[in-house]
Amino acid sequence: MKFISPIDAMFLIAENHVQPMHAATLQLLEPPEHAGPGFVRDLYDTLLRHTEFDLAFTRRPRTALGMPIDWAVEEVDLRCHVKHSGLPHPGGMSELLDLVSDLHRQMFDRTRPPWEVHLIEGLQDGRFALYFKWHHALFDGISAQTIIRGAYSTDALGKQAHPLWHLPPGHRPRGRATATDTRTDEAAKTPPRRTTWQGALDAGLAAVPSAAPKTVFNVPIGSARRCEIGAVPISQAKTISARTGTTINDVILAITGGALRAYLNRHDRLPVKSIVAMVPVSLRPEGSYDRQGGNKVGAALCKLGTDIEDPLQRLARISGSMLRTKQIHSNLSSAQSLGLSALLLAPGVVKTLIDPVVSVPPPFNVVISNIPGIAHERYWGGARLSGMYPLSFPLHGHALNITVSSIVDELDFGFVACAESVPALADLPMFLLQSAAELTSAVGASQLS
């Protein structure tokens, strides 16, 4: 018997039919050159024959008096978890995102382990998609991404497609993941010194931004979902990072902040104060693979500088804010970081449970997650991985979620919003490219001056 941790229980308690608490990745794959028309169906049939499971994939939450208590181990019927489908004509990205948006709004049946894999074919460019969805109480984003990475091979000629639910020992990830944070701070290199709970509380609260302004994103949500995807060349982010002495994560936040500023401007809803992002911080060792599942995630609050027109000044604001947060967490134990994060997020969690109609300033406006990705070409059953877009979930009062992961030469962004609350979500990928170009241009101009 494994008891459900407090942070995992939070995802289960806060869940309801308009606020499902699952995450996913949308992976795009190119079949090998000589693949026949039955290639994807053959992959599906092969997966159904893999009936061994890592422990986390056999668990479902068990409750007592309506509260999640522990994880029950269940027999797994793969046909209930692994699906094969095709897109309607013309099979464009619009049709794929329509299907994914529909899949992403659906809650899990808690009588079974809460995960699904969907193989989707019919894209007009010849690619197919793998949509992997899991309850956030089962895995955090870092753990799930590590499992996904372990299922892929570096061998372009390899024909085996390893199932996500049971990786052979040689494919279980070890060592470091691909880090997207390339600056080495003294705070990050110094061994943590463990401080008292009072010291953790004082330091953490001192770093919290003042109340976030209310925005178009801070509204009640319904059950409909809209998923959109976008990408930025990683070379742009690396150039900006190197020339400004900031981290890749700082650059991602600055590009995203610029896109959100442009989006809010377009809709005449840009607040005078900067909007605030909640940025999840992984507390598990890089590249670790935990067959037990669960969450080890802290939280940082960061002003995105949407009140600043100059993109370089916006980046500097974000970099300073995130550096202070790293210094605080570097001095805390994992338990202290989790406790402090829970305290910082408590007002938002309470509102999702008892007051979904937001009537006071929210603690933050959007969630922006950066998950380590894949640095080199990867293959699955001989198919080349060409895109990997992470998708998370909106909350009552926080109708937009943005997640990013790196893959080879690009940063892949996944946008998930309440379809009824956030208008024109498809504009955000366009504004993302515009923001990246503006920041790149500003860095180049500053080098010349």
Side-chain angles (χ1 to χ4, degrees):
M1 179 177 65
K2 176 181 171 64
F3 288 105
I4 297 177
S5 73
I7 192 169
D8 295 343
M10 180 183 71
F11 290 113
L12 294 164
I13 294 169
E15 184 173 54
N16 56 53
H17 73 285
V18 298
Q19 187 173 262
M21 297 284 186
H22 54 251
T25 62
L26 176 63
Q27 301 158 55
L28 298 180
L29 297 110
E30 299 174 356
E33 184 177 353
H34 301 296
F39 178 77
V40 177
R41 178 71 201 195
D42 290 343
L43 279 178
Y44 173 72
D45 290 340
T46 299
L47 289 178
L48 292 182
R49 292 196 288 271
H50 285 279
T51 56
E52 290 185 87
F53 302 91
D54 283 357
L55 186 58
F57 285 87
T58 67
R59 287 183 167 148
R60 67 167 181 84
R62 186 160 50 190
T63 61
L65 300 177
M67 297 296 289
I69 301 298
D70 60 16
W71 294 100
V73 175
E74 297 287 339
E75 293 289 332
V76 178
D77 180 353
L78 275 178
R79 291 188 181 275
C80 294
H81 295 266
V82 185
K83 308 290 184 179
H84 175 221
S85 59
L87 294 174
H89 182 78
M93 198 56 62
S94 177
E95 285 75 27
L96 176 60
L97 291 174
D98 283 347
L99 174 58
V100 168
S101 297
D102 186 57
L103 293 173
H104 208 65
R105 72 172 178 81
Q106 299 171 20
M107 283 185 66
F108 282 114
D109 177 357
R110 288 198 188 176
T111 65
R112 293 195 292 264
W115 61 272
E116 292 176 359
V117 172
H118 293 257
L119 285 176
I120 305 167
E121 60 180 320
L123 277 165
Q124 59 187 1
D125 62 6
R127 292 185 295 177
F128 67 99
L130 189 154
Y131 170 79
F132 172 40
K133 168 179 164 182
W134 65 91
H135 199 287
H136 211 305
L138 199 63
F139 304 115
D140 59 32
I142 297 289
S143 182
Q145 189 81 318
T146 304
I147 291 170
I148 293 167
R149 189 164 47 246
Y152 282 88
S153 169
T154 57
D155 183 7
L157 301 179
K159 301 301 182 184
Q160 190 166 8
H162 295 292
L164 297 168
W165 50 89
H166 184 73
L167 304 183
H171 289 259
R172 287 174 187 152
R174 303 292 182 192
R176 295 174 62 83
T178 301
T180 53
D181 197 341
T182 59
R183 182 182 63 191
T184 55
D185 302 315
E186 288 304 314
K189 293 189 291 183
T190 303
R193 63 175 176 83
R194 303 312 183 196
T195 155
T196 65
W197 280 107
Q198 185 60 48
L201 178 59
D202 293 344
L205 294 180
V208 176
S210 57
K214 187 174 180 180
T215 71
V216 67
F217 308 127
N218 305 117
V219 294
I221 63 173
S223 59
R225 292 291 176 268
R226 185 63 206 172
C227 299
E228 296 288 346
I229 59 176
V232 170
I234 200 167
S235 58
Q236 277 187 295
K238 287 181 175 179
T239 297
I240 295 166
S241 170
R243 292 182 178 178
T244 59
T246 57
T247 70
I248 296 291
N249 191 58
D250 295 338
V251 174
I252 289 171
L253 291 173
I255 290 172
T256 309
L260 291 171
R261 174 184 165 88
Y263 174 90
L264 292 167
N265 251 333
R266 167 72 62 86
H267 294 278
D268 297 318
R269 300 294 295 273
L270 181 66
V272 174
K273 295 173 60 177
S274 172
I275 68 174
V276 176
M278 191 279 276
V279 183
V281 178
S282 176
L283 301 178
R284 62 173 76 243
E286 284 189 278
S288 66
Y289 172 66
D290 186 355
R291 298 181 69 184
Q292 303 296 313
N295 286 263
K296 294 182 180 178
V297 179
L301 299 181
C302 177
K303 287 185 177 180
L304 292 178
T306 52
D307 56 334
I308 300 173
E309 184 174 0
D310 183 270
L312 281 178
Q313 292 180 19
R314 187 182 311 125
L315 174 59
R317 166 86 67 84
I318 289 168
S319 180
S321 175
M322 291 305 295
L323 181 57
R324 287 191 297 275
T325 296
K326 289 177 191 174
Q327 290 169 337
I328 290 167
H329 279 282
S330 72
N331 287 330
L332 304 180
S333 68
S334 178
Q336 287 174 329
S337 287
L338 284 170
L340 177 59
S341 299
L343 181 65
L344 298 182
L345 299 179
V349 173
V350 170
K351 289 196 71 61
T352 67
L353 294 174
I354 64 174
D355 182 19
V357 179
V358 181
S359 57
V360 297
F364 56 89
N365 302 107
V366 297
V367 178
I368 304 177
S369 304
N370 177 13
I371 301 173
I374 293 175
H376 306 290
E377 296 285 4
R378 290 289 189 274
Y379 301 86
W380 191 65
R384 187 181 76 89
L385 180 66
S386 63
M388 185 164 60
Y389 303 91
L391 303 168
S392 193
F393 51 84
L395 299 166
H396 276 307
H398 302 92
L400 172 66
N401 184 292
I402 303 171
T403 312
V404 59
S405 185
S406 58
I407 172 172
V408 189
D409 57 1
E410 68 182 27
L411 295 167
D412 286 350
F413 287 75
F415 303 90
V416 182
C418 169
E420 301 155 348
S421 305
V422 180
L425 184 65
D427 289 347
L428 267 174
M430 174 187 67
F431 287 132
L432 194 73
L433 287 170
Q434 175 183 305
S435 176
E438 288 174 351
L439 188 51
T440 301
S441 177
V443 168
S446 71
Q447 296 293 307
L448 295 174
S449 60

